[in-house]
Amino acid sequence: MTGVSGKPIEIRVSHSSASDEPIFPLYDGPALFSYGFRPFFLGAALFAAIAVPAWILIVTGAIGSTFLYAPREWHVHEMLFGFLPAAMAGFILTAIPNWTGRTPIRGALLMSLFVLWFGGRLMLAFPGPIPVIAALVDAAFLVALAAAVWREVAAARIWNRSAIGVLIAFYAASNIFFHVLALRGSPTDAPERAALSILLLLLTFIGGRVTLAFTAEYLAQEQRGGHPTSFSPVDGLSMLLVLGAVLVWNVQPEGRITGSLFLAAGAANVIRLVRWKGWLGWREPLVWILSVGYAWVALSLLALGVAVLGMLPAANAVHVLTTGAVGAMTLAVMTRASLGHTGRPRHGDHRTFAIYVLVNVAAVLRICTPPSGAPTGMTNLLLGMAALGWSGAYLLFVFVYGPFLTRPALDD
């Protein structure tokens, strides 16, 4: 866009006051498609608020389904390859411009990516007469996201960020593998395990760095000393142990070595978390939720280790990761980014506090629910309460943060 002088108009788009803040050309399209976090955070939250209660109604026999896959496979797929990719896309597409200094993916291209993601959700719910078409539409989104990441990495020559492109590419491959197996009626354990492994790597590699950085920043502002402010050998060891554990898990899903590696990784990440002293940020919800979320990550590693060793139902261990760690960490990032990137103070009010409480209580209820079997009144009650809490947290996010996401930033 040009001004009266014919020269490009440029504005700052980040809420940061750093002197090296990227400057991008002015965007004059719909606010919703001005930055990746806007449509994808809103879409992820809406989908979570709808899909989880729908699953509970189906699994308890209250309603039927005509989904592309059986209810269990649909639920697993839509959480791992539907909800999560939207949250990932929102974060990654917002972070990339800060890494590259390039103009964000926005406007028609961003809208196309979002429509592709949304189309996948519709096609799996209402597949039509040719199932493979629905699978292809769904698989296309993660492939397109991986291509977009690699395009930005290559254009800016920031090869140190290649790991993100690799992980998203593997995530896309896991989704394709899931569809191939599910369409054949074969078990989908392998792609599910691969997706969970990538998720653990993203949470420990990126989630850990985010938690450390924002906790240290807040404590420095509050003039609370004695906290780590940089990456340390403890962080490196904890990440390597997670990498080793998930690699062995995909080759040998059961066995003492796998279980022991998960336990070691969990213990190392507990130590990592304690070093950050996140409890000192208890006054600010946007800060302490990061430590709570990372505590769920460490607990999920321990739970997976115990489950692999046969001392905990696998479904309960997986839900420590998917309802606890994912629930808390996605909402922690979504709330913080939605405030900061729309020009609002980075402070969590009582409504944000309620969002965090709901998702954490729901996670506790879900992992305390007995594993699937003959349904009982108590099991259905716990599942229903967990679903209401978890989806309620995301629905409250939509009501509170939706207006921020659909309107121009205050500092535009």
Side-chain angles (χ1 to χ4, degrees):
M1 181 175 178
T2 59
V4 292
S5 64
K7 297 181 179 179
I9 299 175
E10 296 181 320
I11 60 167
R12 299 179 184 272
V13 296
S14 171
H15 191 56
S16 170
S17 59
S19 59
D20 60 346
E21 180 183 343
I23 301 177
F24 305 126
L26 180 66
Y27 171 77
D28 60 354
L32 182 62
F33 295 103
S34 63
Y35 234 112
F37 73 93
R38 291 174 177 271
F40 282 110
F41 284 174
L42 188 58
L46 278 170
F47 185 68
I50 296 170
V52 172
W55 155 246
I56 297 301
L57 291 174
I58 292 168
V59 78
T60 57
I63 62 173
S65 71
T66 57
F67 299 148
L68 179 62
Y69 301 129
R72 185 264 176 194
E73 281 69 30
W74 175 83
H75 171 64
V76 171
H77 182 276
E78 290 304 89
M79 290 297 100
L80 288 180
F81 300 111
F83 160 72
L84 268 172
M88 290 178 188
F91 173 80
I92 291 170
L93 295 178
T94 303
I96 282 179
N98 292 329
W99 300 340
T100 65
R102 286 167 50 82
T103 302
I105 293 174
R106 57 193 183 184
L109 181 55
L110 179 58
M111 187 183 302
S112 299
L113 283 171
F114 182 75
V115 168
L116 192 58
W117 171 80
F118 184 66
R121 313 286 62 74
L122 288 179
M123 292 293 284
L124 264 68
F126 310 101
I130 307 177
V132 71
I133 293 178
L136 287 172
V137 171
D138 174 72
F141 171 70
L142 276 168
V143 172
L145 179 62
V149 171
W150 278 110
R151 186 193 74 166
E152 296 301 304
V153 168
R157 298 182 182 277
I158 51 166
W159 305 113
N160 60 323
R161 301 289 183 177
S162 296
I164 301 300
V166 171
L167 289 175
I168 299 302
F170 273 116
Y171 210 85
S174 299
N175 189 26
I176 294 171
F177 189 25
F178 184 102
H179 283 300
V180 170
L181 293 176
L183 288 172
R184 292 178 176 178
S186 303
T188 56
D189 295 354
E192 290 170 21
R193 211 163 32 245
L196 291 171
S197 299
I198 295 168
L199 176 58
L200 278 168
L201 292 175
L202 288 170
L203 287 171
T204 51
F205 282 54
I206 298 179
R209 285 183 176 271
V210 167
T211 302
L212 170 58
F214 290 147
T215 301
E217 177 186 59
Y218 175 80
L219 295 181
Q221 291 173 352
E222 296 294 304
Q223 297 183 346
R224 293 176 176 269
H227 53 278
T229 58
S230 60
F231 192 79
S232 74
V234 173
D235 298 291
L237 176 61
S238 64
M239 293 161 64
L240 282 175
L241 284 170
V242 173
L243 177 61
V246 299
L247 288 175
V248 174
W249 189 36
N250 281 272
V251 176
Q252 186 180 356
E254 300 176 358
R256 286 190 172 276
I257 294 177
T258 305
S260 299
L261 281 172
F262 269 125
L263 291 175
N269 277 277
V270 169
I271 296 171
R272 185 187 191 194
L273 176 64
V274 170
R275 289 184 66 254
W276 297 339
K277 299 183 180 180
W279 62 85
L280 295 177
W282 64 271
R283 292 183 177 86
E284 177 48 65
L286 295 181
V287 174
W288 62 253
I289 188 58
L290 289 166
S291 290
V292 170
Y294 204 82
W296 279 111
V297 174
L299 183 60
S300 68
L301 291 164
L302 294 171
L304 286 169
V306 174
V308 168
L309 294 175
M311 294 180 284
L312 180 71
N316 293 63
V318 167
H319 280 95
V320 176
L321 172 61
T322 55
T323 60
V326 169
M329 288 298 283
T330 55
L331 283 168
V333 171
M334 287 164 62
T335 49
R336 186 182 185 93
S338 297
L339 291 171
H341 284 280
T342 60
R344 290 171 171 81
R346 289 183 176 134
H347 169 68
D349 60 13
H350 63 283
R351 298 172 301 176
T352 302
F353 179 81
I355 290 172
Y356 299 158
V357 170
L358 279 172
V359 77
N360 280 284
V361 170
V364 172
L365 289 172
R366 182 60 187 88
I367 62 178
C368 289
T369 302
S372 59
T376 64
M378 179 57 68
T379 298
N380 289 343
L381 176 62
L382 287 173
L383 282 174
M385 292 174 62
L388 285 175
W390 206 79
S391 63
Y394 286 95
L395 187 61
L396 185 55
F397 174 88
V398 171
F399 282 117
V400 175
Y401 287 83
F404 305 163
L405 299 174
T406 56
R407 298 170 186 168
L410 296 181
D411 54 0
D412 278 356

